[in-house]
Amino acid sequence: MKKLINAPEAVLADALSGVAAAHSGLNVDTENKVITRTAGTRAGKVALLSGGGSGHEPLHGGFVGLGMLDAACPGEVFTSPVPGQMLTAAQAVDGGAGVVFIVKNYTGDVLNFQMAAELAAEEGLSVETVLVDDDVAVRDSTYTAGRRGTGATVFVEKIAGALAEQGADLAAVAEMAKRVNASSRSFAVALTACTTPASGKPGFDLSEHEMEVGVGIHGEPGRRREKLRPAKEIVATALDAILDDQPLAAGDDAIVMVNGLGATPLIELYVVFNEVAQVLAAKNVTIARSLVGNYVTSLDMAGVSITVCKADADMLALWDAPVNTPALRWGA
């Protein structure tokens, strides 16, 4: 294993100290492992809080800031944060209008955020929970009951975050977050496994001529393992799965993200995006907004995920609203 770390057990602590040193707009509580906006939450504004295991950067800490999250709770690598951590974060960012928990559908995250919501209620905080479950590759996996939460998390945090910034109430922000999740589908393919610092070896064996089709962001198995194919065929497989589950009609608008899993060069992601654009253009679907880059990673995994959101006018307007976070920034 070759990694730029000091020791496996110190990775998260060292990384959080690095986040604090790099981003003056963030307040990093290294003891409680909570990232919040330095400016705090505006009084009367609904706060958005998310979190999960580390190793998926910039998710979630990289999306704390104007127009997106108010707080993020990073757990250890591929390990859920704990309820007390989430409660501390919720108390820190509650502006009096309530808190929306955005939770990726992984068993540990779901259980711990549920417990945190119950603790928050006992403390007098109003909490709404939104579950993200956009991955169409498999129905159940090593880490989940039901679909996994992946790339749509970025869409949910951006669009619901913009609505919260505009002063919408708790119910409206949560409902918009649920609408975005319901309109989004994702599918991923891995070319290599990732290596966690604690294990020191790849999470699974994959020959140089194979790919894992429908992989999860922790390296969970997908639909099948097969021979590596050209980008055009990989995109066709992914979009077939996405559009079978969430059909797009001629004239529809879409937000599309081609996301690297950590070790894929940007030039290859643009090759993939070109193939996606051609498929959707042939269906007379307009890619109204797009992201290409690393947004939801899996440490050093080579591969790609594709996320498509069937977007209405409200979603597009909120997508265009100002955002200023370490990983996403425009109009601010």
Side-chain angles (χ1 to χ4, degrees):
M1 178 178 72
K2 292 182 179 179
K3 290 189 178 294
L4 295 173
I5 63 175
N6 294 311
E9 63 275 11
V11 170
L12 178 56
D14 289 350
L16 287 176
S17 294
V19 169
H23 301 293
S24 60
L26 300 182
N27 179 62
V28 182
D29 179 345
T30 54
E31 180 179 353
N32 292 302
K33 299 182 178 65
V34 172
I35 302 172
T36 58
R37 305 184 193 186
T38 299
T41 303
R42 185 178 75 248
K45 174 192 170 299
V46 171
L48 270 67
L49 187 160
S50 194
S54 296
H56 305 303
E57 290 72 22
L59 199 75
H60 291 273
F63 299 123
V64 174
L66 175 73
M68 288 190 78
L69 297 177
D70 293 87
C73 299
E76 296 293 334
V77 173
F78 293 177
T79 303
S80 172
V82 296
Q85 186 180 351
M86 301 164 184
L87 177 62
T88 297
Q91 292 172 323
V93 299
D94 179 43
V99 183
V100 175
F101 286 176
I102 298 172
V103 185
K104 301 190 304 303
N105 188 33
Y106 295 96
T107 303
D109 290 356
V110 171
L111 292 175
N112 287 342
F113 268 104
Q114 181 179 18
M115 188 175 297
E118 293 169 358
L119 293 172
E122 292 175 3
E123 297 294 326
L125 274 67
S126 298
V127 174
E128 289 279 353
T129 298
V130 176
L131 193 67
V132 181
D133 57 353
D134 55 304
D135 186 355
V136 299
V138 293
R139 172 56 60 181
D140 300 295
S141 74
T142 311
Y143 287 71
T144 65
R147 288 178 170 166
R148 302 173 292 212
T150 57
T153 313
V154 179
F155 294 175
V156 170
E157 291 175 358
K158 171 63 187 82
I159 294 172
L163 188 61
E165 213 70 61
Q166 293 176 4
D169 64 21
L170 182 62
V173 173
E175 179 58 30
M176 176 57 73
K178 292 173 184 176
R179 275 174 57 190
V180 174
N181 176 65
S183 300
S184 303
R185 301 290 188 273
S186 297
F187 194 95
V189 174
L191 307 185
T192 68
C194 61
T195 299
T196 63
S199 70
K201 60 183 180 181
F204 56 88
D205 294 322
L206 197 62
S207 81
E208 62 182 288
H209 302 296
E210 289 182 313
M211 60 182 182
E212 185 74 29
V213 179
V215 73
I217 58 173
H218 307 95
E220 311 99 299
R223 292 185 171 187
R224 61 186 177 274
R225 186 168 296 181
E226 62 182 53
K227 184 179 179 181
L228 181 63
R229 294 183 281 143
K232 182 184 293 290
E233 296 179 22
I234 292 172
V235 168
T237 295
L239 287 182
D240 281 349
I242 288 170
L243 299 179
D244 281 349
D245 199 88
Q246 174 72 300
L248 291 172
D252 283 343
D253 289 325
I255 303 172
V256 175
M257 179 170 69
V258 169
N259 169 67
L261 298 179
T264 306
L266 193 56
I267 190 171
E268 295 177 26
L269 298 182
Y270 278 112
V271 169
V272 170
F273 192 89
N274 178 55
E275 298 300 335
V276 173
Q278 290 185 49
V279 172
L280 295 184
K283 297 179 180 294
N284 292 314
V285 171
T286 298
I287 299 179
R289 307 291 186 272
S290 61
L291 289 177
V292 181
N294 287 305
Y295 297 98
V296 184
T297 61
S298 184
L299 293 171
D300 55 346
M301 182 183 288
V304 65
S305 69
I306 299 170
T307 303
V308 178
C309 174
K310 182 178 179 179
D312 58 31
D314 291 339
M315 293 177 192
L316 293 177
L318 292 167
W319 183 264
D320 291 339
V323 59
N324 189 358
T325 72
L328 213 61
R329 189 175 306 169
W330 58 71

